[in-house]
Amino acid sequence: MTTMTTTTTPQQTVLEARGVTMRFGGLTAVRNVDLTVSTGEIVGLIGPNGAGKTTFFNCLTGLYHPTEGTVAYKGTTLPPKPHLVTKAGMARTFQNIRLFANMTVLENVLVGRHTRTKEGLWSALLRGPGFRKAEAASEERAMELLKFTGLDHKRDHLARSLPYGEQRKLEIARALASEPGLLLLDEPTAGMNPQETRATEELVFAIRDKGIAVLVIEHDMRFIFNLCDRVAVLVQGEKLVEGTSDVVQGDERVVAAYLGTPFEGAPEDTALAEVQAAESHAAEDGTAGTAEAAEEGDAAQGDDDK
Amino acid sequence: MTNTETTPVVPLPANTARHLTTAGALITIASTFLSWTWTSAFPGDLTVYGYPAGLQIITLVTAALTLLLALTGYKSGALARLNPSRSNNPTALAALGTFGVVWFTAIAIAVDLGGLVNLDPGGYIAAVGALITATGALGLPLHRNTRDSLHTPDWAERPALAPVHRALHTLRLAKPPQARPTSTPEPWIDRLTITVGIALGLVVFTYGIGTDDNASETFIGYLIAITLTAIALHHSGALDRFTNATTRHKALSAVLAFVAAALFPFTQSNDHNANLGVNILIFATVALGLNIVVGLTGLLDLGYVAFLGVGAYAAALVSGSEFSRFSGVQFPFWAAALTGMAASLVFGVLIGAPTLRLRGDYLAIVTLGFGEIFRLAVNNMDGTSGPNLTNGPNGISRIPDLKVFGFNLGDAHTFGSFTLGRFANYFFLMLLFTAIVVLVFTRASNSRIGRSWIAIREDETAATAMGINGFRVKLIAFALGASLAGLSGTVMAHVNYSVNPQPYMFAGAAPPNSAFLLAAVVLGGMGTVSGPLLGASLLYLIPEKLQFLKNYELLAFGLALVLLMRFRPEGIIANRRRQLEFHDTGQLDIPEQQSLPDSTTGAATAPDATKAGA
Ligand SMILES: Nc1ncnc2c1ncn2[C@@H]1O[C@H](COP(=O)(O)OP(=O)(O)OP(=O)(O)O)[C@@H](O)[C@H]1O
Ligand SMILES: [Mg+2]
């Protein structure tokens, strides 16, 4: 497996995933993927539909228990429990927006503060000065984040009543509320128009400038190549290439994977070679995914993929 | 707003309609001072000239309200407060309420006593007056849904059922648009509104509880009247004003509500009604505890009544009753209350710890099972089929009365001209516990832990991804709910003199049982404080007052739930959140916001894209 690590990394490693593999029955959605992210970096994760990007995210954040492999945050191996991952310092957004629809914008962000506050039931019932101070501090911090994402004027709206672009922003604000060292964004611009996409780009840069590393999945290539210091390409669950935007853009295998043209030594072939007939439908899925991507072509940037 | 129109139901000139409404209401009012029937055999004794009684009082009140609302239509300024919307809908609804009560009474007299002969001229006058006022009010320009805007469900397309659907929608009344208040009213106006509202609530509730248990007719009239009056006030915007005032002055409203509740025993000369009162309070408090589990955290608990039972049995065992296994032991009440809570807490954790790792329906099934296991176990722990603990089906009886600070709750006490009987004493004790549970509910829900409960209810996966330990937080909710039920159970054991396994089942004809508790929460409004209290009061009173339903009670109960879920799925008192969830009317109390120009296209495609996501 070719890996071209080009970034000079004097900084600390934030995320280190080693040999992450995820199997669903006969289907191997993620196969032996390594990935590191260092402080101050924006790393992109691209790949055709069904490549396993979201599954990989789920493995990183503990929503799935990886079949093999480990995920370490700043040197400590993370248990596959989502709440512990968030507590350790990795927060995420979802491809299909998962806000708390019937809570207000402010409450959504306050829920994000959960791991950084510790007032339990008793202090809520007794309402001592400590509780009030903690609530006030949480609210202040949440309002800062809403200002940062440009949602402060909507604090008392229900999340479900926000326009789509703002829902995506709110998800980012909610994730930031847990004071992460690494933010995982799953298709943050899906369904956005070009202006919104540009605004999101600015937002991601601003997040990086706060000292938070970002790992972002996206189908919008212009967005990815503008933004990322490094890009990893996932095809059929395997990491095909990793490198700077230029390296990845110039790599013929990436183009081939997106266009669906088979080539010498493609992971598809290896997969077919080693996997039995029982898995053949999985490979079909993969081909269907790539064909779809080919239809959309490079111009299909910024649209939701399904 | 193209979905609504302002048209009369009955084609009449607007002025004629208004005069008819007013005249009809006046005739009806006058008729309540006449005799409606010749014999006092009809409940409430409607034979007396000069002052109204029973159903006549209810008629008088609704007709007077109709009159006042009709008068607001003559551009008289002083009454505007009653009808901030300036619409005719409230008038029409009040008039329909009057009509409903009067005609129900007339028909009931004819049916009960065997024929129209039994109606006195007063009864005929009332019926004619009510008909005139209702016809007149329906001739006023009303705010209605247009015919096209109403959704036609599949069943209504069948020829046989289409008339039913049309009949259900003849009125098509829509809530009139409410003018946004330009400024928040003076605080004293708010306080006055709250005081008047709560005082009226006390009067209405007291009247309902005071109706004769054998006079189902009076209670049905009462239900017709309060339902239509409530809808009328809702359409007029007066209820909104009241709720807005209470949200601005939460503490004051809570205090006044408890003062009003505490005044209740003083309005009752009869200890039987105080007994009803204390049982309603117990039922309502347990429902509020269940609301933490179901309404806030979204855990469907179908065996909740078992925790009430655990508390009651625990208190009975340490009460010093001679039938208790530990008959020598008599805890002081505070210790007994803590024992009950602790026992329920332990059971809550024991049931919750293995099951709360499951999601969704599994929990419902396991709790349902636990509820039944509790009842069966208690039934069998009599020393023959099981260990000797609960005295089997006979239960533990002769539970001695409580002494609190040397004050025996079993004795009647006299304060000035008021005598407070045994049940009134327990009413005060239980009211204290209700206050505690209300405080626990509001404080917990509005905090870090409460937000995490709601987050779990909304989306458990996202909640855990935001760092919430789902299992832990759910267990806290479950255990808290259980211990609050246990607390109420300790009082219940003493109020009822005895405990036995019979009431602690999943579904039964009388409260408390798990199905009724759940219904009280859903009917009243999930996630609110006042919802379950109101829902529980209604669900307790209705079976109590409508004795003739006895055999059909569960049927009626099921029908009522189906209708409720069809027409008002968010419950009587809607949480602002749930109101928005079920009726997508946009924000209720937040000024319209211009959405940013660059986010409009995204918004248009949003719903499809969200659903399609992986
Ligand atoms: N819980 C699951 N059970 C079984 N198969 C799954 C599960 N989750 C994902 N998969 C499969 O794993 C493969 C990878 O899916 P994944 O959602 O990770 O793709 P993706 O790269 O995020 O695609 P997209 O760009 O469309 O979001 C797909 O074939 C999918 O069907
Ligand atoms: Mg995905």
Side-chain angles (χ1 to χ4, degrees), chain B residues 297-351:
Chain B
T297 324
L299 304 170
L300 186 53
D301 185 347
L302 297 180
Y304 191 68
V305 81
F307 298 120
L308 179 71
V310 170
Y313 266 95
L317 284 173
V318 299
S319 66
S321 154
E322 60 196 280
F323 294 98
S324 158
R325 179 84 170 75
F326 317 108
S327 55
V329 185
Q330 184 166 15
F331 281 16
F333 181 62
W334 61 267
L338 288 181
T339 311
M341 269 180 97
S344 290
L345 180 77
V346 168
F347 274 90
V349 172
L350 282 181
I351 304 306

Short mmCIF file of all heavy atoms in Angstrom, two decimals, chain B residues 297-351:
data_model
loop_
_atom_site.label_atom_id
_atom_site.label_comp_id
_atom_site.label_asym_id
_atom_site.label_seq_id
_atom_site.Cartn_x
_atom_site.Cartn_y
_atom_site.Cartn_z
N THR B 297 -36.96 11.74 29.07
CA THR B 297 -35.89 10.85 28.59
C THR B 297 -36.35 9.97 27.44
O THR B 297 -35.51 9.37 26.77
CB THR B 297 -35.38 9.98 29.76
OG1 THR B 297 -35.41 10.78 30.94
CG2 THR B 297 -33.97 9.53 29.52
N GLY B 298 -37.67 9.89 27.24
CA GLY B 298 -38.17 9.10 26.12
C GLY B 298 -38.07 7.60 26.33
O GLY B 298 -38.00 6.84 25.37
N LEU B 299 -38.08 7.14 27.60
CA LEU B 299 -38.03 5.70 27.87
C LEU B 299 -39.46 5.24 28.13
O LEU B 299 -40.09 5.73 29.07
CB LEU B 299 -37.18 5.41 29.10
CG LEU B 299 -35.75 5.94 29.06
CD1 LEU B 299 -35.11 5.79 30.43
CD2 LEU B 299 -34.96 5.20 28.02
N LEU B 300 -39.96 4.34 27.33
CA LEU B 300 -41.34 3.89 27.51
C LEU B 300 -41.38 2.86 28.64
O LEU B 300 -40.92 1.74 28.47
CB LEU B 300 -41.86 3.30 26.21
CG LEU B 300 -43.32 2.91 26.20
CD1 LEU B 300 -44.19 4.07 26.66
CD2 LEU B 300 -43.74 2.46 24.83
N ASP B 301 -41.91 3.27 29.78
CA ASP B 301 -41.96 2.40 30.95
C ASP B 301 -43.40 1.95 31.16
O ASP B 301 -44.25 2.75 31.55
CB ASP B 301 -41.44 3.17 32.17
CG ASP B 301 -41.34 2.31 33.41
OD1 ASP B 301 -41.89 1.19 33.40
OD2 ASP B 301 -40.73 2.74 34.39
N LEU B 302 -43.66 0.68 30.91
CA LEU B 302 -45.04 0.19 31.00
C LEU B 302 -45.32 -0.49 32.34
O LEU B 302 -46.39 -1.05 32.53
CB LEU B 302 -45.33 -0.80 29.86
CG LEU B 302 -45.27 -0.23 28.45
CD1 LEU B 302 -45.58 -1.30 27.44
CD2 LEU B 302 -46.24 0.93 28.29
N GLY B 303 -44.36 -0.45 33.26
CA GLY B 303 -44.60 -1.10 34.54
C GLY B 303 -44.38 -0.15 35.69
O GLY B 303 -44.07 -0.57 36.81
N TYR B 304 -44.58 1.13 35.42
CA TYR B 304 -44.19 2.14 36.40
C TYR B 304 -44.95 2.02 37.70
O TYR B 304 -44.43 2.32 38.77
CB TYR B 304 -44.40 3.52 35.79
CG TYR B 304 -43.81 4.66 36.57
CD1 TYR B 304 -42.44 4.81 36.68
CD2 TYR B 304 -44.63 5.58 37.23
CE1 TYR B 304 -41.90 5.85 37.39
CE2 TYR B 304 -44.09 6.62 37.94
CZ TYR B 304 -42.73 6.76 38.02
OH TYR B 304 -42.19 7.79 38.74
N VAL B 305 -46.19 1.55 37.64
CA VAL B 305 -47.02 1.51 38.85
C VAL B 305 -46.40 0.58 39.89
O VAL B 305 -46.64 0.72 41.09
CB VAL B 305 -48.46 1.10 38.49
CG1 VAL B 305 -48.59 -0.39 38.33
CG2 VAL B 305 -49.44 1.62 39.52
N ALA B 306 -45.56 -0.35 39.44
CA ALA B 306 -44.91 -1.26 40.39
C ALA B 306 -44.05 -0.49 41.39
O ALA B 306 -43.96 -0.88 42.56
CB ALA B 306 -44.05 -2.27 39.64
N PHE B 307 -43.44 0.61 40.95
CA PHE B 307 -42.61 1.37 41.88
C PHE B 307 -43.46 2.04 42.94
O PHE B 307 -43.05 2.20 44.09
CB PHE B 307 -41.76 2.40 41.13
CG PHE B 307 -40.80 1.76 40.17
CD1 PHE B 307 -40.86 2.03 38.82
CD2 PHE B 307 -39.85 0.85 40.62
CE1 PHE B 307 -39.99 1.44 37.94
CE2 PHE B 307 -38.98 0.24 39.73
CZ PHE B 307 -39.05 0.53 38.39
N LEU B 308 -44.66 2.46 42.55
CA LEU B 308 -45.61 2.98 43.52
C LEU B 308 -45.92 1.88 44.54
O LEU B 308 -45.95 2.11 45.75
CB LEU B 308 -46.89 3.42 42.81
CG LEU B 308 -48.02 3.99 43.64
CD1 LEU B 308 -47.66 5.36 44.17
CD2 LEU B 308 -49.30 4.07 42.84
N GLY B 309 -46.11 0.68 44.03
CA GLY B 309 -46.40 -0.46 44.90
C GLY B 309 -45.26 -0.78 45.83
O GLY B 309 -45.47 -1.04 47.02
N VAL B 310 -44.04 -0.73 45.31
CA VAL B 310 -42.88 -1.01 46.17
C VAL B 310 -42.85 -0.02 47.32
O VAL B 310 -42.67 -0.39 48.49
CB VAL B 310 -41.57 -0.95 45.35
CG1 VAL B 310 -40.37 -1.00 46.27
CG2 VAL B 310 -41.51 -2.07 44.34
N GLY B 311 -43.07 1.25 47.01
CA GLY B 311 -43.06 2.28 48.05
C GLY B 311 -44.16 2.03 49.07
O GLY B 311 -43.95 2.11 50.28
N ALA B 312 -45.36 1.70 48.56
CA ALA B 312 -46.50 1.49 49.45
C ALA B 312 -46.26 0.28 50.36
O ALA B 312 -46.49 0.34 51.57
CB ALA B 312 -47.77 1.30 48.62
N TYR B 313 -45.78 -0.81 49.78
CA TYR B 313 -45.52 -2.01 50.60
C TYR B 313 -44.42 -1.76 51.60
O TYR B 313 -44.50 -2.20 52.76
CB TYR B 313 -45.19 -3.20 49.69
CG TYR B 313 -46.41 -4.03 49.38
CD1 TYR B 313 -47.14 -3.83 48.22
CD2 TYR B 313 -46.84 -4.99 50.28
CE1 TYR B 313 -48.26 -4.57 47.94
CE2 TYR B 313 -47.98 -5.75 50.02
CZ TYR B 313 -48.69 -5.53 48.86
OH TYR B 313 -49.81 -6.28 48.61
N ALA B 314 -43.37 -1.05 51.17
CA ALA B 314 -42.27 -0.77 52.10
C ALA B 314 -42.79 0.03 53.28
O ALA B 314 -42.50 -0.29 54.44
CB ALA B 314 -41.16 -0.02 51.38
N ALA B 315 -43.62 1.04 53.00
CA ALA B 315 -44.15 1.86 54.08
C ALA B 315 -45.07 1.04 54.96
O ALA B 315 -45.07 1.18 56.19
CB ALA B 315 -44.89 3.06 53.50
N ALA B 316 -45.87 0.15 54.35
CA ALA B 316 -46.80 -0.66 55.14
C ALA B 316 -46.03 -1.61 56.06
O ALA B 316 -46.43 -1.83 57.21
CB ALA B 316 -47.71 -1.44 54.20
N LEU B 317 -44.92 -2.15 55.57
CA LEU B 317 -44.17 -3.11 56.37
C LEU B 317 -43.56 -2.47 57.61
O LEU B 317 -43.40 -3.12 58.63
CB LEU B 317 -43.07 -3.76 55.52
CG LEU B 317 -43.55 -4.81 54.53
CD1 LEU B 317 -42.41 -5.25 53.63
CD2 LEU B 317 -44.13 -6.02 55.26
N VAL B 318 -43.23 -1.19 57.51
CA VAL B 318 -42.62 -0.53 58.67
C VAL B 318 -43.59 0.40 59.37
O VAL B 318 -43.20 1.26 60.14
CB VAL B 318 -41.35 0.26 58.26
CG1 VAL B 318 -40.32 -0.67 57.67
CG2 VAL B 318 -41.68 1.37 57.29
N SER B 319 -44.91 0.21 59.09
CA SER B 319 -45.89 1.13 59.65
C SER B 319 -46.32 0.74 61.06
O SER B 319 -46.95 1.52 61.75
CB SER B 319 -47.14 1.16 58.76
OG SER B 319 -47.75 -0.12 58.84
N GLY B 320 -46.01 -0.49 61.45
CA GLY B 320 -46.47 -0.95 62.75
C GLY B 320 -47.82 -1.63 62.68
O GLY B 320 -48.40 -1.96 63.71
N SER B 321 -48.32 -1.87 61.47
CA SER B 321 -49.58 -2.60 61.34
C SER B 321 -49.41 -4.01 61.89
O SER B 321 -48.36 -4.64 61.73
CB SER B 321 -49.98 -2.67 59.86
OG SER B 321 -50.79 -3.80 59.65
N GLU B 322 -50.47 -4.53 62.51
CA GLU B 322 -50.35 -5.87 63.09
C GLU B 322 -50.27 -6.95 62.01
O GLU B 322 -49.87 -8.07 62.29
CB GLU B 322 -51.54 -6.15 64.01
CG GLU B 322 -52.86 -6.06 63.28
CD GLU B 322 -54.03 -5.94 64.23
OE1 GLU B 322 -54.43 -6.98 64.74
OE2 GLU B 322 -54.51 -4.80 64.44
N PHE B 323 -50.66 -6.61 60.76
CA PHE B 323 -50.58 -7.60 59.69
C PHE B 323 -49.24 -7.57 58.97
O PHE B 323 -49.01 -8.35 58.07
CB PHE B 323 -51.70 -7.37 58.67
CG PHE B 323 -53.05 -7.61 59.26
CD1 PHE B 323 -53.82 -6.55 59.72
CD2 PHE B 323 -53.53 -8.91 59.39
CE1 PHE B 323 -55.05 -6.78 60.28
CE2 PHE B 323 -54.76 -9.14 59.94
CZ PHE B 323 -55.52 -8.08 60.40
N SER B 324 -48.41 -6.61 59.35
CA SER B 324 -47.10 -6.53 58.73
C SER B 324 -46.22 -7.66 59.24
O SER B 324 -46.36 -8.12 60.37
CB SER B 324 -46.46 -5.18 59.03
OG SER B 324 -45.07 -5.25 58.90
N ARG B 325 -45.33 -8.12 58.39
CA ARG B 325 -44.38 -9.15 58.77
C ARG B 325 -43.54 -8.65 59.94
O ARG B 325 -43.14 -9.41 60.80
CB ARG B 325 -43.51 -9.45 57.55
CG ARG B 325 -42.44 -10.47 57.75
CD ARG B 325 -43.02 -11.86 57.56
NE ARG B 325 -41.97 -12.85 57.50
CZ ARG B 325 -41.29 -13.27 58.57
NH1 ARG B 325 -41.58 -12.76 59.74
NH2 ARG B 325 -40.37 -14.19 58.45
N PHE B 326 -43.26 -7.36 59.94
CA PHE B 326 -42.46 -6.79 61.03
C PHE B 326 -43.38 -5.94 61.89
O PHE B 326 -43.22 -4.72 61.99
CB PHE B 326 -41.33 -5.92 60.48
CG PHE B 326 -40.63 -6.55 59.30
CD1 PHE B 326 -40.80 -6.06 58.02
CD2 PHE B 326 -39.79 -7.63 59.49
CE1 PHE B 326 -40.16 -6.65 56.95
CE2 PHE B 326 -39.15 -8.23 58.42
CZ PHE B 326 -39.33 -7.73 57.15
N SER B 327 -44.38 -6.59 62.52
CA SER B 327 -45.43 -5.79 63.16
C SER B 327 -44.90 -5.01 64.35
O SER B 327 -45.52 -4.04 64.78
CB SER B 327 -46.59 -6.68 63.57
OG SER B 327 -46.10 -7.73 64.38
N GLY B 328 -43.76 -5.42 64.87
CA GLY B 328 -43.23 -4.66 66.00
C GLY B 328 -42.58 -3.36 65.58
O GLY B 328 -42.42 -2.45 66.38
N VAL B 329 -42.24 -3.29 64.29
CA VAL B 329 -41.46 -2.13 63.83
C VAL B 329 -42.39 -0.99 63.45
O VAL B 329 -43.32 -1.18 62.67
CB VAL B 329 -40.64 -2.53 62.59
CG1 VAL B 329 -39.74 -1.39 62.15
CG2 VAL B 329 -39.84 -3.77 62.87
N GLN B 330 -42.20 0.16 64.00
CA GLN B 330 -42.96 1.32 63.55
C GLN B 330 -42.02 2.49 63.37
O GLN B 330 -41.56 3.09 64.34
CB GLN B 330 -44.06 1.67 64.55
CG GLN B 330 -44.92 2.82 64.02
CD GLN B 330 -46.20 2.98 64.78
OE1 GLN B 330 -46.37 2.44 65.87
NE2 GLN B 330 -47.13 3.74 64.22
N PHE B 331 -41.73 2.79 62.12
CA PHE B 331 -40.83 3.90 61.82
C PHE B 331 -41.59 5.21 61.96
O PHE B 331 -42.78 5.26 61.67
CB PHE B 331 -40.31 3.79 60.38
CG PHE B 331 -39.20 2.81 60.19
CD1 PHE B 331 -38.91 1.85 61.14
CD2 PHE B 331 -38.43 2.85 59.03
CE1 PHE B 331 -37.89 0.93 60.94
CE2 PHE B 331 -37.41 1.96 58.83
CZ PHE B 331 -37.13 0.99 59.78
N PRO B 332 -40.90 6.27 62.36
CA PRO B 332 -41.53 7.59 62.22
C PRO B 332 -41.71 7.87 60.74
O PRO B 332 -41.02 7.29 59.90
CB PRO B 332 -40.50 8.54 62.83
CG PRO B 332 -39.23 7.79 62.87
CD PRO B 332 -39.56 6.34 62.93
N PHE B 333 -42.64 8.78 60.41
CA PHE B 333 -43.00 8.89 59.02
C PHE B 333 -41.84 9.27 58.11
O PHE B 333 -41.69 8.71 57.02
CB PHE B 333 -44.16 9.88 58.80
CG PHE B 333 -44.51 9.96 57.35
CD1 PHE B 333 -44.98 8.82 56.69
CD2 PHE B 333 -44.33 11.12 56.62
CE1 PHE B 333 -45.28 8.86 55.34
CE2 PHE B 333 -44.63 11.15 55.26
CZ PHE B 333 -45.09 10.02 54.63
N TRP B 334 -41.00 10.21 58.56
CA TRP B 334 -39.91 10.61 57.66
C TRP B 334 -39.06 9.41 57.31
O TRP B 334 -38.62 9.24 56.17
CB TRP B 334 -39.08 11.74 58.26
CG TRP B 334 -38.39 11.39 59.57
CD1 TRP B 334 -38.89 11.60 60.83
CD2 TRP B 334 -37.13 10.76 59.73
NE1 TRP B 334 -38.01 11.13 61.76
CE2 TRP B 334 -36.91 10.62 61.11
CE3 TRP B 334 -36.15 10.29 58.84
CZ2 TRP B 334 -35.76 10.02 61.64
CZ3 TRP B 334 -35.00 9.71 59.37
CH2 TRP B 334 -34.82 9.59 60.76
N ALA B 335 -38.84 8.52 58.29
CA ALA B 335 -38.02 7.34 58.02
C ALA B 335 -38.76 6.38 57.09
O ALA B 335 -38.16 5.78 56.19
CB ALA B 335 -37.66 6.65 59.32
N ALA B 336 -40.08 6.26 57.30
CA ALA B 336 -40.86 5.38 56.43
C ALA B 336 -40.84 5.89 55.00
O ALA B 336 -40.70 5.11 54.05
CB ALA B 336 -42.30 5.29 56.94
N ALA B 337 -40.95 7.22 54.86
CA ALA B 337 -40.93 7.80 53.51
C ALA B 337 -39.59 7.52 52.84
O ALA B 337 -39.54 7.13 51.67
CB ALA B 337 -41.18 9.30 53.58
N LEU B 338 -38.52 7.68 53.61
CA LEU B 338 -37.20 7.41 53.03
C LEU B 338 -37.05 5.93 52.69
O LEU B 338 -36.47 5.58 51.66
CB LEU B 338 -36.09 7.85 53.99
CG LEU B 338 -35.93 9.37 54.11
CD1 LEU B 338 -34.79 9.70 55.07
CD2 LEU B 338 -35.65 9.99 52.74
N THR B 339 -37.61 5.07 53.55
CA THR B 339 -37.53 3.63 53.27
C THR B 339 -38.23 3.31 51.97
O THR B 339 -37.71 2.57 51.13
CB THR B 339 -38.21 2.84 54.41
OG1 THR B 339 -37.70 3.30 55.65
CG2 THR B 339 -37.95 1.35 54.27
N GLY B 340 -39.44 3.89 51.80
CA GLY B 340 -40.19 3.64 50.57
C GLY B 340 -39.42 4.10 49.35
O GLY B 340 -39.32 3.39 48.34
N MET B 341 -38.85 5.30 49.47
CA MET B 341 -38.07 5.82 48.34
C MET B 341 -36.88 4.93 48.05
O MET B 341 -36.58 4.61 46.89
CB MET B 341 -37.54 7.22 48.69
CG MET B 341 -38.44 8.34 48.29
SD MET B 341 -37.68 9.90 48.74
CE MET B 341 -36.93 10.36 47.20
N ALA B 342 -36.20 4.54 49.12
CA ALA B 342 -34.98 3.75 48.93
C ALA B 342 -35.32 2.40 48.30
O ALA B 342 -34.63 1.93 47.39
CB ALA B 342 -34.27 3.55 50.27
N ALA B 343 -36.42 1.78 48.78
CA ALA B 343 -36.80 0.48 48.22
C ALA B 343 -37.10 0.62 46.73
O ALA B 343 -36.62 -0.18 45.91
CB ALA B 343 -38.02 -0.06 48.96
N SER B 344 -37.84 1.66 46.36
CA SER B 344 -38.16 1.85 44.94
C SER B 344 -36.90 2.15 44.15
O SER B 344 -36.75 1.71 43.01
CB SER B 344 -39.13 3.01 44.77
OG SER B 344 -40.38 2.65 45.27
N LEU B 345 -36.00 2.91 44.76
CA LEU B 345 -34.75 3.23 44.08
C LEU B 345 -33.97 1.96 43.77
O LEU B 345 -33.49 1.75 42.65
CB LEU B 345 -33.92 4.15 44.97
CG LEU B 345 -32.57 4.59 44.42
CD1 LEU B 345 -32.78 5.68 43.39
CD2 LEU B 345 -31.67 5.11 45.53
N VAL B 346 -33.91 1.09 44.78
CA VAL B 346 -33.16 -0.17 44.58
C VAL B 346 -33.79 -0.98 43.45
O VAL B 346 -33.11 -1.44 42.54
CB VAL B 346 -33.13 -0.98 45.89
CG1 VAL B 346 -32.63 -2.39 45.63
CG2 VAL B 346 -32.27 -0.28 46.92
N PHE B 347 -35.15 -1.08 43.49
CA PHE B 347 -35.80 -1.83 42.42
C PHE B 347 -35.59 -1.14 41.06
O PHE B 347 -35.39 -1.81 40.05
CB PHE B 347 -37.29 -2.01 42.72
CG PHE B 347 -37.56 -3.20 43.57
CD1 PHE B 347 -37.58 -3.10 44.95
CD2 PHE B 347 -37.77 -4.44 42.98
CE1 PHE B 347 -37.80 -4.21 45.74
CE2 PHE B 347 -38.00 -5.55 43.77
CZ PHE B 347 -38.01 -5.44 45.15
N GLY B 348 -35.64 0.18 41.07
CA GLY B 348 -35.42 0.91 39.83
C GLY B 348 -34.06 0.60 39.24
O GLY B 348 -33.94 0.33 38.04
N VAL B 349 -33.05 0.58 40.08
CA VAL B 349 -31.70 0.31 39.59
C VAL B 349 -31.59 -1.15 39.15
O VAL B 349 -31.00 -1.46 38.11
CB VAL B 349 -30.66 0.65 40.67
CG1 VAL B 349 -29.28 0.20 40.25
CG2 VAL B 349 -30.66 2.14 40.93
N LEU B 350 -32.22 -2.05 39.94
CA LEU B 350 -32.14 -3.48 39.59
C LEU B 350 -32.80 -3.75 38.24
O LEU B 350 -32.30 -4.55 37.44
CB LEU B 350 -32.83 -4.32 40.66
CG LEU B 350 -32.02 -4.55 41.93
CD1 LEU B 350 -32.80 -5.42 42.90
CD2 LEU B 350 -30.69 -5.21 41.58
N ILE B 351 -33.93 -3.09 37.99
CA ILE B 351 -34.61 -3.30 36.71
C ILE B 351 -33.90 -2.54 35.62
O ILE B 351 -33.76 -3.00 34.49
CB ILE B 351 -36.07 -2.80 36.79
CG1 ILE B 351 -36.81 -3.46 37.92
CG2 ILE B 351 -36.79 -3.04 35.47
CD1 ILE B 351 -36.76 -4.93 37.90
#
